[in-house]
């Protein structure tokens, strides 16, 4: 007999994310293309189709792209698939020199000091994310990436896809589920604890 079990991952992908940018070259290459999974295969490989990626406008001298979450998260990692068009090895549209800032309220911003470079994509259909940024457990609801230089001399730059991962610090997955009636008085209540939680409150309401 083989004893098998599943180990909880250290961090989980953030699902509720929206994206805005300083500019887009066209409506079908907007910043939302970096968070909607377009062009990604089940194996995590990104396509070379231009409309599966975000591309800035040529008249934008310092393009930026910003990601906003539904609430504050303790951020663990950012994975980046850079611009991966077939012309990437020759034209170099991918973001290279970058500045990452994080914020809790969208007003006060802090620079992530050790994140200054994204790796270049190969311009191939089997491209896997090749940039991983350690976010050091920063608490944030907003992340802004400013691109100060691309891999080529073109006046535009872009990113294919990003994925943010957070460390769960809140209680979650209650059993029974929130709002679900408990039919037995001896039913054991359970939940997944928050990693940083020292106290959990359970509220039971009469039906």
């Amino acid at each position: 007999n083989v004893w098998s079990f599943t180990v909880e991952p250290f961090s989980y992908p953030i699902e509720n994310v929206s994206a805005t940018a300083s500019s887009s070259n066209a409506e079908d290459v907007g910043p939302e293309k970096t968070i909607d999974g377009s062009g990604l295969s089940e194996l995590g490989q990104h396509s070379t189709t231009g409309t599966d990626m975000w591309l800035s406008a040529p008249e934008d001298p310092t393009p930026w792209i910003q990601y906003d979450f539904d609430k504050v998260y303790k951020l663990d990692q950012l994975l980046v698939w850079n611009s991966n068009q077939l012309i990437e090895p020759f034209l170099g549209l991918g973001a290279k020199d970058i500045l990452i800032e994080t914020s809790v309220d969208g007003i006060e911003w802090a620079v992530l000091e050790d994140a200054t470079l994204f790796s270049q994509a190969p311009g191939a259909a089997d491209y896997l994310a090749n940039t991983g940024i350690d976010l050091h457990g920063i608490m944030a609801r907003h992340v802004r990436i400013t691109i100060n230089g691309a891999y080529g001399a073109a006046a535009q730059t872009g990113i294919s896809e990003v994925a943010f991962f957070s460390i769960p610090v809140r209680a979650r997955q209650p059993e029974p589920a929130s709002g679900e009636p408990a039919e037995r008085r001896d039913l054991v209540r359970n939940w997944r604890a928050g990693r940083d939680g020292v106290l959990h409150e359970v509220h039971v309401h009469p039906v």
Side-chain angles (χ1 to χ4, degrees):
N1 294 328
V2 178
W3 181 35
S4 63
F5 56 89
T6 301
V7 177
E8 182 184 27
F10 180 72
S11 58
Y12 292 84
I14 300 177
E15 297 180 354
N16 296 316
V17 186
S18 61
T20 54
S22 56
S23 68
S24 297
N25 191 54
E27 290 186 2
D28 59 353
V29 290
E32 70 279 356
K33 291 302 180 75
T34 65
I35 55 172
D36 63 2
S38 57
L40 274 181
S41 71
E42 294 182 356
L43 299 177
Q45 299 170 324
H46 204 283
S47 76
T48 57
T49 303
T51 51
D52 289 337
M53 316 169 198
W54 166 63
L55 182 65
S56 70
E59 63 273 11
D60 188 353
T62 310
W64 54 261
I65 186 166
Q66 181 172 317
Y67 300 98
D68 304 297
F69 314 130
D70 61 323
K71 57 189 175 185
V72 175
Y73 288 88
K74 186 173 185 177
L75 302 179
D76 173 41
Q77 187 182 30
L78 165 63
L79 286 184
V80 180
W81 291 256
N82 217 332
S83 183
N84 189 47
Q85 295 190 43
L86 289 172
I87 57 175
E88 180 59 32
F90 313 103
L91 197 57
L93 294 172
K96 181 181 180 181
D97 301 316
I98 55 94
L99 174 74
I100 297 180
E101 299 170 280
T102 63
S103 174
V104 171
D105 56 10
I107 301 173
E108 299 290 334
W109 294 84
V111 175
L112 189 66
E113 297 291 349
D114 58 352
T116 59
L117 182 71
F118 284 171
S119 298
Q120 188 176 22
D126 60 353
Y127 171 48
L128 296 170
N130 61 347
T131 296
I133 303 294
D134 187 351
L135 298 174
H136 306 294
I138 293 171
M139 301 297 292
R141 187 174 182 176
H142 313 277
V143 176
R144 183 167 59 210
I145 301 171
T146 301
I147 303 171
N148 296 314
Y151 273 91
Q156 295 168 276
T157 188
I159 296 172
S160 292
E161 191 81 16
V162 300
F164 290 91
F165 292 80
S166 71
I167 302 166
V169 295
R170 299 176 178 87
R172 62 202 189 282
Q173 298 178 5
E175 298 176 6
S178 180
E180 181 179 314
E183 298 180 357
R184 293 179 12 231
R185 292 188 178 183
D186 61 345
L187 185 67
V188 176
R189 276 73 172 174
N190 198 5
W191 63 89
R192 300 298 297 273
R195 298 271 176 85
D196 294 343
V198 295
L199 176 69
H200 294 85
E201 293 184 4
V202 179
H203 297 263
V204 180
H205 300 277
V207 178

